[in-house]
Amino acid sequence: MKIMVGGTFDPLHDGHKRLLSRSFQLAGPKGTVIIGLTSDRFASQKVHPVRPYEKRKEELTRFIEESGFQAAWSVEPLEDRFGSALKIDFDALIVSEETLPVAMEINTLRRKEGRRKVDIHQITCVLADDGRWISSTRIYRGEIDPHGRVIG
Amino acid sequence: MKIMVGGTFDPLHDGHKRLLSRSFQLAGPKGTVIIGLTSDRFASQKVHPVRPYEKRKEELTRFIEESGFQAAWSVEPLEDRFGSALKIDFDALIVSEETLPVAMEINTLRRKEGRRKVDIHQITCVLADDGRWISSTRIYRGEIDPHGRVIG
């Protein structure tokens, strides 16, 4: 299967790793995973600073290579919420609980433009040790580390 | 992975087959698929007549056996919208576009009862030749056959 997944991935935390692992699992060894990585311009709308695109891509690439996934994959810059998800044919979109509404919006827009809808796989967020979601914002604030361990 | 999926499956049409195939694919060869099959009492709320539980289970079983899926599987009666999805631990719920709201409700209720949420995989409906969804109601009305071919 041809899978699309997106994010800012800064820093790459256990929630992201779950999202990516599930994407590769679903794609299967002969499938493809397209990872939309927010561009620096798009990421600048975040409430916290984000490392440059190339740095984030490097960390993402290292994780994928070390994981030994078999599917083909590529990283492409995401300039808005949709990226190429409105324009190309693929099978399934993998999203977190936070981004499910974007996936629903993508299907509505695809249908309007005469494209077929895609499957939507919503992966539950990974919980930190304190029972709340692991998120980049919380890591940036210094509340938790990328594995969800509470700091301090 | 341990997967749950549910339905009335009467008759078993191409949309159901897609839902079941994706469930087994996601479970993986060492996983488990639990299929909730609406009980005769629960199914009697439908707008059209439904064949008896045992007949529906027979057709479901034949499809699964002929498909050569590798995961372990079982069929259990569904007496309401949730079945055992609120009570047991599993990884992902596979739903159609029509039943996504039930899946969201299940996660909300699980969380309230202190259980962890599950992943939700929404499979797009299969379209009939006329571009509308394949559904049991449409088959019952004689508009289409179980493969989505327009009748008459």
Side-chain angles (χ1 to χ4, degrees), chain A residues 55-75:
Chain A
K55 276 278 167 218
R56 291 179 282 128
K57 186 174 172 182
E58 214 177 279
E59 191 180 9
L60 199 54
T61 302
R62 199 179 322 121
F63 168 70
I64 293 169
E65 286 177 352
E66 287 174 358
S67 300
F69 300 129
Q70 289 178 278
W73 60 279
S74 62
V75 177

Side-chain angles (χ1 to χ4, degrees), chain A residues 11-32:
Chain A
L12 194 70
H13 58 61
D14 283 4
H16 295 136
K17 289 177 182 175
R18 179 152 197 251
L19 200 69
L20 292 165
S21 301
R22 196 57 62 84
S23 301
F24 278 92
Q25 181 196 346
L26 205 67
K30 289 174 186 167
T32 306

Side-chain angles (χ1 to χ4, degrees), chain A residues 2 4-5 34 36 76-93 101-118 120:
Chain A
K2 189 169 179 179
M4 292 196 86
V5 61
I34 298 174
E76 58 177 40
L78 214 54
E79 297 288 355
D80 57 35
R81 297 203 307 292
F82 311 126
S84 56
L86 300 182
K87 294 165 212 142
I88 66 167
D89 273 329
F90 63 105
D91 300 296
L93 197 57
V102 180
M104 307 295 279
E105 212 176 335
I106 285 173
N107 260 347
T108 304
L109 292 169
R110 286 182 67 88
R111 201 83 186 104
K112 265 193 194 154
E113 293 177 23
R115 292 196 178 276
R116 66 179 180 80
K117 291 186 183 178
V118 295
I120 297 171

Side-chain angles (χ1 to χ4, degrees), chain B residues 6-33:
Chain B
T8 301
F9 303 108
D10 184 52
L12 194 70
H13 58 60
D14 283 5
H16 295 136
K17 289 178 182 175
R18 180 153 197 249
L19 200 69
L20 292 165
S21 301
R22 196 58 61 80
S23 300
F24 278 92
Q25 181 195 346
L26 206 68
K30 289 174 186 166
T32 306
V33 178

Side-chain angles (χ1 to χ4, degrees), chain B:
Chain B
M1 292 211 295
K2 190 169 179 179
I3 304 293
M4 292 196 87
V5 61
T8 301
F9 303 108
D10 184 52
L12 194 70
H13 58 60
D14 283 5
H16 295 136
K17 289 178 182 175
R18 180 153 197 249
L19 200 69
L20 292 165
S21 301
R22 196 58 61 80
S23 300
F24 278 92
Q25 181 195 346
L26 206 68
K30 289 174 186 166
T32 306
V33 178
I34 298 173
I35 304 156
L37 180 62
T38 54
S39 68
D40 288 333
R41 200 174 58 168
F42 184 39
S44 70
Q45 298 171 11
K46 292 253 173 197
V47 290
H48 56 80
V50 168
R51 286 178 307 161
Y53 184 89
E54 286 306 326
K55 275 280 167 217
R56 290 180 283 128
K57 188 175 172 183
E58 215 177 279
E59 192 180 9
L60 200 54
T61 301
R62 198 178 324 122
F63 168 70
I64 294 169
E65 286 178 352
E66 286 175 358
S67 299
F69 300 130
Q70 289 178 277
W73 60 280
S74 61
V75 177
E76 57 178 41
L78 214 53
E79 297 288 355
D80 56 35
R81 296 202 309 291
F82 310 128
S84 56
L86 300 182
K87 295 164 211 144
I88 66 167
D89 273 329
F90 63 105
D91 301 295
L93 197 57
I94 315 293
V95 293
S96 70
E97 293 177 55
E98 291 175 300
T99 48
L100 179 70
V102 180
M104 308 295 279
E105 212 176 334
I106 284 173
N107 260 346
T108 304
L109 291 169
R110 285 181 67 88
R111 201 81 186 106
K112 263 192 195 153
E113 291 175 26
R115 293 195 176 275
R116 66 179 179 77
K117 289 187 186 179
V118 296
D119 291 351
I120 297 171
H121 293 226
Q122 185 211 55
I123 307 298
T124 50
C125 292
V126 173
L127 300 182
D129 290 346
D130 59 6
R132 294 170 51 209
W133 287 352
I134 296 182
S135 79
S136 295
T137 307
R138 296 193 68 204
I139 296 168
Y140 174 73
R141 285 196 199 123
E143 294 172 24
I144 53 168
D145 75 8
H147 302 292
R149 285 182 289 243
V150 177
I151 292 171

